[in-house]
Structures are given as C-alpha cells and as structure tokens.
C-alpha cells in the first residue's frame, strides 16, 4: 500500500516509476471518472498509473452544481435506471464512503399549478425517496403557501401556491475528486498531475502505453501498460485522435454557468429547485453563499477555459428574479464559474435533453474510452471502464470493491466530530474552525494540524480570505498535489468564487506560503501572482462580453500557469 501524499518528493519518485515500471492500466484524465478508475483498479490489485495534463479536477469535475443527486428531471425523462443508480451512489457517499465530504441539503420545490401539480410532483418524489435503498436523508414534506414562505421568506408571495421540501446531498466537487485520487495513491496507484499524454505507444495493432510530457519541465518519457483508459471527458475525441483509430462515440460539450452570491441576499432556510422553460434552475446553499445555476448551451471553443458571457449571467439573474421578492443584481455576484458537461452526441440537438447515461467502448485492442454520465455516478462508470479493460489484462481480475472502500479521511470522522471541542482547545482554535477542517479533511485533520507544529502563525486565517487557515495552503502544496497558485485558489480552496476579489487580494500571501513547500524563489512567486491576476482579469472581462466567441477571445488571451502545455485546447 502506498502513501496518500501527493507532494514534491512523491512527484519526483512517480516520474521515475512511470518511465521504468510495467503497468496493468494507465488512466488518462484526473477528473472524478479518471480518479475513480484509478482507485477501482488499485483496489482490485492492479498496477495502475493516473496521468493528468493540468490539475486534479481542473476541468468539469471542479465546475459542477456540487450535488450528489439522483436528478429529479431525469425521472420526467423516464430514465429510472439512471436515477436509481445515482440515488444508490448518493446513499453510499453519505453513509460509508465519504461522510466527511458529502452532506445532506434540503430543497424547496415551489408549486405553481393547482389540482394536478402537487400529486404529480409528490408521486415523482415518492419514487425519488424510495429508489435509493436505505435512506439517510428525510423524506418529502408538503407545505402550504404560508409554510413554504416561512421556510423561504425571499420568495414573492405570488410565485407559488404551496411547496414540497425534499433532500439531496452536496459536496465540494474538486475536493472530493482530489480525495478520490489520494485514496487511489493510498492503495498504490501512481498519481501524477502536470503530465500530458502526447502520444500512444503501439505494438502492431494494439495500444501498449502512452508517451507523456512533464509540463513543468518539458521532460518526456514512455509509460508501458497492458491497457490505456481514456477518461478525459470533453477531451475524449482529442485523445482518441492520438491513437490513430476511430472512436465508437462522439462527445459534445455543453456549457453550464453558475453564479455565487452572499447568503444574506436570499433569505431562506432551504435551497430551491425552479422550473425554467428550458430546464431547471437550482439555488443551492454553499457555506456563507448561494450557488445559482445552471445554463445549458452548446460549446465549440476552448475546452480548458470555457467562458461565461454577459448573456449567461443575465439569463440566470432573469430566471431567479422571477420568484425573488428582492431581485439579485450584478453587484451581488461574488463569483462566476463555467464548466463543460461531456454529453454523448447524436441523441438530440437540445443539449438539456441529451442523455446523462455513460458509454464505455473498447476502441481498439489495449484502448478503452468512457464518456457521458454524471458526477454522482462516477464510481459505477469507473468500475465499468476497468471491466471493459479486463480483456487486455493478463489473468483474471477481481471484481470491483469500491462500494466498500471509504475515501481517505472517512474512517473515524464521526468520532472526531464529537471531539471537535477538545480538538479546538488543544490547538487553540474556535470549534467552528475545527468543524470546517473536519468537513474538508475528515480524520486527516491531525495530519493537517501537525504541519503547524512549531509554526502557530499557520493557524491564522488567510489574509483576504478568512474562511480558510494558512495551514490549508501549506497542506495543499505538501500533501494534495497543488503545483500552482490557481490550483490552491480555485480547487483546493474555493477562494476564487467565494470572495468578490476572486483571490487577487490574497494571491501574494498564498504564493509565499506555497513557496516554502515547493521551493519557489521571488521570481517564481512574482510570475505565479501575475499569471493568476491575469486569469482573473480575463475572466471578469469575458463575463462582460455579448457572446461565446467574444468571451472566449478574452479568456484565452490570459497566460497558462503550466507553460509547457502542448495540447490543442479546442476540438
């Protein structure tokens, strides 16, 4: 069993391993499906390597609605199998696999039609409540208009005639994905970010590995493997081209935009799910904020940096303001993020109706591709991908057991929650700080706090981002694989969307904290701050543009943190 650390020393060792060892499986892509596939393979006793061109969860897996949910709207599309599967996964996450990261969250479904809507919605929610097996969240609760308005005073009185409250679950998607990858490393997987696949190795008609480039140094090496699994989401087609063989399916990118506003701008005890003419809009509680989204539009431009436009933001504000007594304005927005859903193409021209089912194909001997699906069902997708690769592996492989493997930090979490006050006293912290740490690291909290031994200043808040402690920045670089300022400000923490300055005010201090772990000099610190600041300015600029083309031009003008990237970033 390996170490769960993804630090600088591990990075050097893993490069040597990639170039010298024979792997059963190489997984391309450090999103949740790739990390899940690496964990699935490692816990079956396979020798596995995971390579990611940028950072863990740097694409779709850090830009979702941050929900583990069955998907109420998929019930309406009669995708009962998908909903049942997703609800089972939600249950597993809440109870066994990641109780430290995945939490119940309530939603109000406002009713607007008399007679038919309440029984129709209640029937759907009854299915929802019973499909997922053992239930770890409360069932639906019916409310009168007065009851719904007491729960959500922010709603206009004429926006509803009653409501139904139901529960789903949520998680910080980027943190969850990184924890899956660390768990894979814990069970022996070689996990390496900033490692770009630039070619496939072939032996006659079969794929037998990949050629990779370290995008921090420009070094290249060859990785030998019995099977290669393409888990690159919206980049599936681009990686497919490297193999020289024709893919079995195509992936379409659908852009989803969310805005983040302060908690006090919407007075409510519950999240909301609102029907729109095109799809649904979520208002999701997020610590001291609300996340409001999402949009659903085709995207054919830069895959690495999808851009939100003025039109996207206006659409979200218009939709949510139809029901709010006090409308949100652009001045209320603290953060904006845009992500791309990898949808299987060919089913419909309307992206909101494309299936969220996933597809797995053995594209050629030694090469498997997986695409589609949704964040919630990543574990099932990962198991399917490894099963598909089994034909290329020597000997019989064990069945998947990841439904029984808690993520690192899960074991002992509940006991530590009960001991939060003692932990707080021991380290001189407020108990709410300890609870914040427990919900991000679980039982790894001891490892995090140990980094502050002899350095009590690290237990102070990050200047400009007081929700986070300085020790969390140090730990991100020493244990969680963060290599650049953007990795910490946008994924290890969520400073880039939770504060109006989007991380610029604390960029220098965070870079200095990372420098101590990663060995940066003053010149590197300066460059990291400049690159991050340019990124924020480009994103702000893109969000004032009228259309995708103009927004994309503004966003792609910003420099890359990973300077040695060779990958074409558009389809």
């Amino acid at each position: 069993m390996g170490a769960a650390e993804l630090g600088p020393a591990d990075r050097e060792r893993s490069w040597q391993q990639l170039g010298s060892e024979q792997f059963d499986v190489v997984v391309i892509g450090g999103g949740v499906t790739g990390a899940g596939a690496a964990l699935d393979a490692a816990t079956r006793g396979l020798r596995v390597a995971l390579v990611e061109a940028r950072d863990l969860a740097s694409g779709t897996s850090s830009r979702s609605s941050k929900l583990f949910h069955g998907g109420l709207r998929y019930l309406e599309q009669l995708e009962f199998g998908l909903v049942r599967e997703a609800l089972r996964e939600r249950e597993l996450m809440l109870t066994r696999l990641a109780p430290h990261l995945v939490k119940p969250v309530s939603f109000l479904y406002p009713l607007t039609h008399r007679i038919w809507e309440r029984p129709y919605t209640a029937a759907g929610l009854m299915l929802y409540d019973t499909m997922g097996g053992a239930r770890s969240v409360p069932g639906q609760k019916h409310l009168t208009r007065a009851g719904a308005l007491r729960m959500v005073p922010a709603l206009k009185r004429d926006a509803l005639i009653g409501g139904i409250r139901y529960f789903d679950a949520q998680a910080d998607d980027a943190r969850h994905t990184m924890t899956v990858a660390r768990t894979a490393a814990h069970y022996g997987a070689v996990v390496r970010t900033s490692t770009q696949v630039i070619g496939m190795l072939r032996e006659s008609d079969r794929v037998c590995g990949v050629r990779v480039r370290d995008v921090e140094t420009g070094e290249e090496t060859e990785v030998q493997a019995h099977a290669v699994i393409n888990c690159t989401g919206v980049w599936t087609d681009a990686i497919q081209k490297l193999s020289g063989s024709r893919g079995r399916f195509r992936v379409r990118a659908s852009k989803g935009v969310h805005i983040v506003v302060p908690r006090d701008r919407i007075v409510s005890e519950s999240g909301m799910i609102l029907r729109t003419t095109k799809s649904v809009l979520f208002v999701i509680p997020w610590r001291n904020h609300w996340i409001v989204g999402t949009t659903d539009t085709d995207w054919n431009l830069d895959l690495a940096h999808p851009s939100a436009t003025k039109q996207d933001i206006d659409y979200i504000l218009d939709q949510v303001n139809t029901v709010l007594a006090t409308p949100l304005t652009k001045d209320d927005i603290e953060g904006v993020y845009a992500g791309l859903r990898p949808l299987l193409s060919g089913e419909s021209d309307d992206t909101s109706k494309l299936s969220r089912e996933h597809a797995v194909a053995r594209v050629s001997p030694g090469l498997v591709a997986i695409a589609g699906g949704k964040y919630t069902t990543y574990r099932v997708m990962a198991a399917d991908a490894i099963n598909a690769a089994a034909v290329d592996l020597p000997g019989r492989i064990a069945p998947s057991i990841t439904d029984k493997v808690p993520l690192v930090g899960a074991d002992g979490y509940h006991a530590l929650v009960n001991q939060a006050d003692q932990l707080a006293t021991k380290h001189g912290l407020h108990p709410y700080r300890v609870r914040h740490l427990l919900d991000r690291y679980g039982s790894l909290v001891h490892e995090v706090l140990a980094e502050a031994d002899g350095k009590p200043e690290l237990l102070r808040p990050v200047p400009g981002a007081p929700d986070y402690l300085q020790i969390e920045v140090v730990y991100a670089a020493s244990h969680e694989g963060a290599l650049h300022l953007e990795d910490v400000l946008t994924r290890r923490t969520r400073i880039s969307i939770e504060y109006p300055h989007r991380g610029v005010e604390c960029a220098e201090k965070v870079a200095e904290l990372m420098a101590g772990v990663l060995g940066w000099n003053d010149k590197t610190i300066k460059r990291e701050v400049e690159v991050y600041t340019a990124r924020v300015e480009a994103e702000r600029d893109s969000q004032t543009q009228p259309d995708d083309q103009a927004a994309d031009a503004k966003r792609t003008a910003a420099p890359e943190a990973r300077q040695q990237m060779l990958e074409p970033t558009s389809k």
Side-chain angles (χ1 to χ4, degrees):
M1 201 159 75
E5 286 87 15
L6 300 176
D10 179 76
R11 184 168 176 78
E12 183 56 43
R13 182 173 64 251
S14 63
W15 183 253
Q16 301 303 325
Q17 289 175 291
L18 288 181
S20 62
E21 295 185 14
Q22 169 72 46
F23 292 92
D24 292 310
V25 174
V26 169
V27 177
I28 311 171
V32 73
T33 309
L39 175 58
D40 190 274
T43 53
R44 294 192 199 205
L46 299 174
R47 190 73 185 119
V48 58
L50 168 67
V51 291
E52 159 59 43
R54 288 182 169 81
D55 183 28
L56 295 168
S58 59
T60 304
S61 294
S62 59
R63 308 179 199 192
S64 73
S65 296
K66 316 205 182 315
L67 295 175
F68 269 86
H69 64 138
L72 263 187
R73 65 188 170 126
Y74 306 126
L75 276 183
E76 283 199 295
Q77 294 166 15
L78 306 181
E79 298 203 42
F80 297 115
L82 178 64
V83 175
R84 183 182 290 107
E85 184 176 85
L87 288 171
R88 178 174 180 265
E89 293 304 307
R90 183 191 76 179
E91 183 71 21
L92 275 172
M93 290 297 147
L94 282 166
T95 57
R96 185 188 303 168
L97 304 187
H100 54 317
L101 303 176
V102 182
K103 308 291 178 186
V105 60
S106 79
F107 288 97
L108 176 73
Y109 183 105
L111 299 168
T112 55
H113 298 91
R114 297 191 183 278
I115 303 172
W116 66 269
E117 192 181 17
R118 190 183 288 275
Y120 172 79
T121 308
L125 282 168
M126 188 176 74
L127 274 175
Y128 203 71
D129 283 343
T130 56
M131 271 178 148
R135 202 172 68 219
S136 53
V137 297
Q140 60 179 296
K141 179 180 181 182
H142 286 251
L143 302 161
T144 61
R145 175 194 276 170
L149 288 169
R150 275 196 301 275
M151 184 176 283
V152 187
L155 287 173
K156 290 178 184 170
R157 188 167 173 77
D158 62 1
L160 74 170
I161 58 159
I164 306 176
R165 187 198 67 184
Y166 74 97
F167 277 79
D168 254 319
Q170 76 173 170
D172 182 333
D173 49 4
R175 172 149 292 281
H176 174 268
T177 296
M178 181 276 298
T179 306
V180 176
R182 279 192 72 185
T183 309
H186 177 71
Y187 287 105
V190 174
V191 176
R192 203 168 196 279
T193 58
S194 283
T195 306
Q196 180 187 4
V197 172
I198 55 172
M200 299 277 180
L201 307 182
R202 301 191 78 93
E203 221 172 65
S204 65
D205 70 333
R206 66 177 291 112
V207 172
C208 61
V210 292
R211 183 160 189 82
V212 296
R213 174 185 178 86
D214 184 325
V215 299
E216 305 296 333
T217 65
E219 283 183 85
E220 295 181 8
T221 194
E222 293 187 347
V223 188
Q224 304 288 332
H226 296 298
V228 174
I229 302 182
N230 178 0
C231 295
T232 54
V234 292
W235 282 276
T236 299
D237 298 345
I239 294 294
Q240 186 58 50
K241 282 177 191 165
L242 289 179
S243 76
S245 54
R246 194 166 162 274
R248 299 287 176 82
F249 44 74
R250 289 187 62 74
V251 174
R252 263 172 69 181
S254 163
K255 183 177 70 167
V257 173
H258 295 79
I259 63 171
V260 183
V261 299
R263 196 67 178 259
D264 62 4
R265 296 300 189 276
I266 300 174
V267 182
S268 176
E269 294 171 22
S270 172
M272 287 179 275
I273 178 170
L274 308 170
R275 279 189 176 279
T276 69
T277 50
K278 297 177 185 175
S279 183
V280 294
L281 192 80
F282 284 105
V283 179
I284 304 161
W286 181 255
R287 301 183 192 134
N288 303 320
H289 321 268
W290 297 99
I291 293 174
V292 188
T294 178
T295 61
D296 213 335
T297 53
D298 252 340
W299 178 263
N300 298 301
L301 300 164
D302 179 28
L303 296 177
H305 308 296
S307 313
T309 63
K310 180 179 183 296
Q311 188 179 5
D312 294 326
I313 294 166
D314 287 346
Y315 168 80
I316 293 171
L317 290 174
D318 289 347
Q319 294 296 326
V320 76
N321 285 340
T322 60
V323 300
L324 293 181
T326 305
L328 295 176
T329 69
K330 286 203 168 139
D331 293 339
D332 294 324
I333 296 173
E334 294 174 305
V336 179
Y337 64 94
L340 299 177
R341 302 174 191 86
L343 302 177
L344 298 173
S345 69
E347 291 140 49
S348 161
D349 289 335
D350 182 346
T351 60
S352 67
K353 291 189 173 65
L354 285 176
S355 174
R356 300 309 294 274
E357 294 279 8
H358 62 273
V360 185
R362 184 168 176 258
V363 182
S364 63
L367 179 62
V368 167
I370 182 163
K374 56 203 288 278
Y375 193 106
T376 305
T377 57
Y378 81 91
R379 197 192 60 78
V380 178
M381 294 169 65
D384 286 351
I386 301 302
N387 287 342
V391 67
D392 293 305
L393 302 178
R396 291 188 55 161
I397 68 167
S400 175
I401 58 159
T402 50
D403 59 337
K404 303 177 187 71
V405 179
L407 302 187
V408 289
D411 282 337
Y413 163 72
H414 294 294
L416 285 168
V417 169
N418 292 340
Q419 296 169 359
D421 288 356
Q422 292 129 278
L423 262 176
T425 303
K426 179 182 173 185
H427 293 280
L429 292 168
H430 193 284
Y432 91 85
R433 286 279 185 202
V434 171
R435 283 190 281 273
H436 160 90
L437 293 172
L438 284 170
D439 287 345
R440 286 168 55 72
Y441 305 95
S443 54
L444 296 177
V445 69
H446 296 301
E447 198 173 83
V448 177
L449 293 169
E451 295 279 307
D453 286 350
K455 302 172 195 168
E457 68 278 5
L458 292 180
L459 295 179
R460 292 185 199 135
V462 173
D467 285 347
Y468 298 93
L469 299 179
Q470 294 179 38
I471 191 65
E472 296 183 74
V473 174
V474 172
Y475 188 79
S478 65
H479 287 70
E480 294 180 342
L483 297 174
H484 292 279
L485 190 52
E486 69 170 45
D487 300 349
V488 170
L489 293 175
T490 65
R491 288 177 288 276
R492 302 306 181 278
T493 70
R494 287 317 180 87
I495 291 170
S496 67
I497 59 170
E498 291 175 344
Y499 292 89
H501 58 74
R502 314 259 171 116
V504 171
E505 277 182 24
C506 54
E508 195 163 338
K509 178 61 180 176
V510 170
E512 286 168 2
L513 288 165
M514 293 179 71
V517 179
L518 299 175
W520 293 350
N521 57 25
D522 290 346
K523 183 179 170 187
T524 307
I525 293 173
K526 184 169 182 283
R527 179 183 177 273
E528 286 285 330
V529 172
E530 285 172 355
V531 167
Y532 184 78
T533 304
R535 168 202 165 119
V536 171
E537 286 170 4
E539 285 182 352
R540 283 190 191 278
D541 215 356
S542 71
Q543 290 155 18
T544 65
Q545 302 305 309
D547 56 47
D548 284 347
Q549 283 75 16
D552 184 65
K554 294 288 185 185
R555 177 62 186 90
T556 52
E560 279 276 3
R562 290 163 166 83
Q563 293 174 290
Q564 301 271 0
M565 286 289 298
L566 297 179
E567 180 183 15
T569 52
S570 56
K571 284 185 168 181

